């Protein structure tokens, strides 16, 4: 009689615990969740009920209430041990979960930094292209003023070659640079000054982005693909002067003069020899 009452009490208590757990869960449970909740509860109830039949079979029925309580001491010890093991497993799982969360957080932070870099980089690249479109060079003749990329083409056409008859024979690069700087101060600076500074900022952002070398190369190719032949010529001259000495190592690293016209390189062998990637 007392056995049936105890079984009913424990079964009722187990049902109430499961019902309370389910009520606390806001989202609907799947079959797997019900199994994970119900299987341990049923296992505990089954093991408890077996204790009433298996233990007395080997050790005989208890003669007092104290002996009946002691009969389940082994089961209590078993569950205490299992609870300790469960605690250790929980700590291990939490540690693994925290490790995964830190990894995801790191990846999220890297992705955010990459997106922020790309936003700044392409914004600066857009400013560079916008500056080119807004370039304007007044004309002294009756023809229209030069605008946009036509200004860069005109500047490039004014660059002195080594074979220029106006240069002293054998003077080579020194005279070329001196003549370029003179043209820069008189004619080029209002347009080319902001132009080169914007380009320098584009490359500096790539260099300081924290991206891998392969990614940096990919970003630099976007810039390099937009450089026209006149722009490459002007960049070579600028990086051969004191104005571009800080920019030159990055021009070398990212091979920004790669598409320098072959004829122009042949007409300016002294200046071209100052850039290693042009000799490859």
């Amino acid at each position: 009689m007392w056995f049936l009452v105890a079984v009913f009490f424990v079964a009722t208590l187990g049902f109430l615990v499961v019902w309370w757990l389910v009520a606390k869960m806001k989202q609907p449970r799947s079959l797997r969740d019900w199994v994970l909740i119900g299987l341990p509860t049923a296992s505990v109830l089954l093991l408890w009920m077996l204790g009433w039949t298996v233990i007395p079979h080997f050790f005989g029925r208890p003669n007092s209430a104290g002996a009946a309580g002691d009969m389940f001491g082994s089961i209590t010890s078993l569950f205490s041990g299992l609870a300790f093991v469960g605690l250790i497993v929980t700590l291990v799982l939490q540690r693994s979960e925290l490790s995964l969360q830190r990894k995801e957080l790191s990846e999220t932070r890297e992705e955010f930094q990459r997106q922020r870099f790309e936003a700044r980089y392409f914004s600066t690249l857009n400013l560079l292209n916008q500056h080119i479109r807004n370039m304007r060079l007044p004309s002294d003749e009756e023809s229209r003023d030069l605008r946009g990329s036509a200004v860069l083409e005109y500047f490039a056409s004014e660059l002195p070659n080594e074979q220029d008859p106006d240069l002293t024979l054998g003077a080579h690069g020194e005279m070329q640079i001196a003549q370029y700087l003179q043209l820069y101060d008189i004619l080029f600076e209002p347009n080319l000054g902001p132009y080169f500074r914007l380009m320098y900022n584009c490359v500096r952002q790539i260099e300081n982005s924290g991206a891998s070398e392969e990614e940096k190369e990919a970003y630099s190719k976007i810039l390099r693909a937009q450089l026209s032949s006149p722009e490459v010529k002007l960049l070579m001259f600028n990086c051969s002067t004191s104005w571009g000495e800080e920019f030159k190592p990055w021009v070398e690293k990212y091979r920004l003069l790669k598409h320098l016209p072959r004829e122009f390189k042949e007409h300016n062998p002294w200046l071209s020899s100052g850039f290693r990637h042009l000799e490859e």
Side-chain angles (χ1 to χ4, degrees):
M1 180 66 181
W2 288 105
F3 171 72
L4 295 177
V5 172
V7 169
F8 175 77
F9 174 76
V10 173
T12 303
L13 181 62
F15 173 78
L16 291 174
V17 171
V18 173
W19 179 83
W20 180 80
L21 289 174
V22 172
K24 287 291 183 180
M25 298 177 181
K26 297 181 180 180
Q27 297 180 352
R29 299 291 97 190
S30 63
L31 178 61
R32 177 175 175 272
D33 295 330
W34 282 104
V35 171
L36 291 176
I37 295 172
L39 185 60
T41 304
S43 299
V44 171
L45 294 175
L46 179 62
L47 188 60
W48 185 86
M49 288 186 291
L50 288 175
W52 284 90
T53 56
V54 175
I55 294 177
H57 177 74
F58 289 100
F59 300 100
R61 293 186 175 278
N63 297 322
S64 63
D70 294 339
M71 184 175 63
F72 296 97
S74 59
I75 299 177
T76 303
S77 300
L78 173 64
F79 282 110
S80 298
L82 290 176
F84 180 71
V85 172
L87 177 62
I88 295 177
V89 172
T90 301
L91 292 175
V92 172
L93 292 176
Q94 286 181 344
R95 181 180 179 184
S96 177
E97 183 68 22
L98 289 174
S99 177
L100 290 175
Q101 289 179 356
R102 284 195 296 268
K103 183 179 179 181
E104 291 177 358
L105 182 62
S106 176
E107 292 175 351
T108 302
R109 183 166 56 249
E110 291 176 359
E111 179 66 17
F112 174 74
Q113 291 175 348
R114 185 183 66 82
Q115 291 177 353
R116 186 171 61 177
F117 154 71
E118 287 187 350
R120 291 199 310 266
Y121 174 67
F122 287 110
S123 177
T124 308
L125 200 59
N126 183 58
L127 287 175
L128 177 64
N129 292 325
Q130 185 176 352
H131 175 73
I132 295 174
R133 291 192 295 268
N134 293 336
M135 281 184 178
R136 178 176 174 273
L137 187 65
S139 176
D140 296 332
E141 302 176 359
E142 296 180 357
S143 58
R144 295 181 178 178
D145 296 345
L146 296 177
R147 296 180 180 274
S149 59
V151 176
L152 294 173
E153 293 176 6
Y154 172 75
F155 289 161
S157 68
E158 294 294 309
L159 293 174
N161 291 325
E162 285 189 38
Q163 300 153 355
D164 196 317
D166 295 335
L167 295 178
T168 304
L169 184 63
H172 300 303
E174 291 84 352
M175 287 292 295
Q176 284 180 279
I177 296 304
Q179 189 170 337
Y180 168 80
L181 289 174
Q182 185 178 11
L183 287 170
Y184 186 88
D185 292 336
I186 297 173
L187 184 63
F188 294 172
E189 202 284 330
N191 286 301
L192 290 187
Y195 168 79
F196 284 127
R197 286 190 285 272
L198 284 169
M199 187 185 298
Y200 175 83
N201 268 286
C202 284
V203 181
R204 184 178 62 179
Q205 289 176 15
I206 294 174
E207 186 67 16
N208 298 332
S209 65
S212 64
E213 292 302 319
E214 292 78 10
E215 291 174 327
K216 290 181 179 180
E217 179 66 21
Y219 289 122
S220 67
K221 286 181 178 179
I222 297 174
L223 173 61
R224 189 173 67 197
Q226 298 188 36
L227 297 179
S228 62
S229 294
E231 292 177 88
V232 178
K233 296 176 186 178
L234 291 165
L235 182 59
M236 185 185 76
F237 266 85
N238 188 264
C239 289
S240 300
T241 69
S242 58
W243 293 108
E245 60 185 359
E246 293 185 5
F247 194 10
K248 184 177 179 180
W250 291 341
V251 170
E252 284 273 20
K253 179 179 179 179
Y254 297 113
R255 303 165 58 87
L256 297 184
L257 302 183
K258 179 180 179 180
H259 300 300
L260 184 72
R262 185 174 182 180
E263 180 182 357
F264 190 80
K265 183 167 62 173
E266 292 174 351
H267 289 170
N268 297 276
W270 188 88
L271 288 178
S272 301
S273 64
F275 298 89
R276 294 186 303 274
H277 68 281
L278 291 178
E279 300 176 357
E280 298 176 359

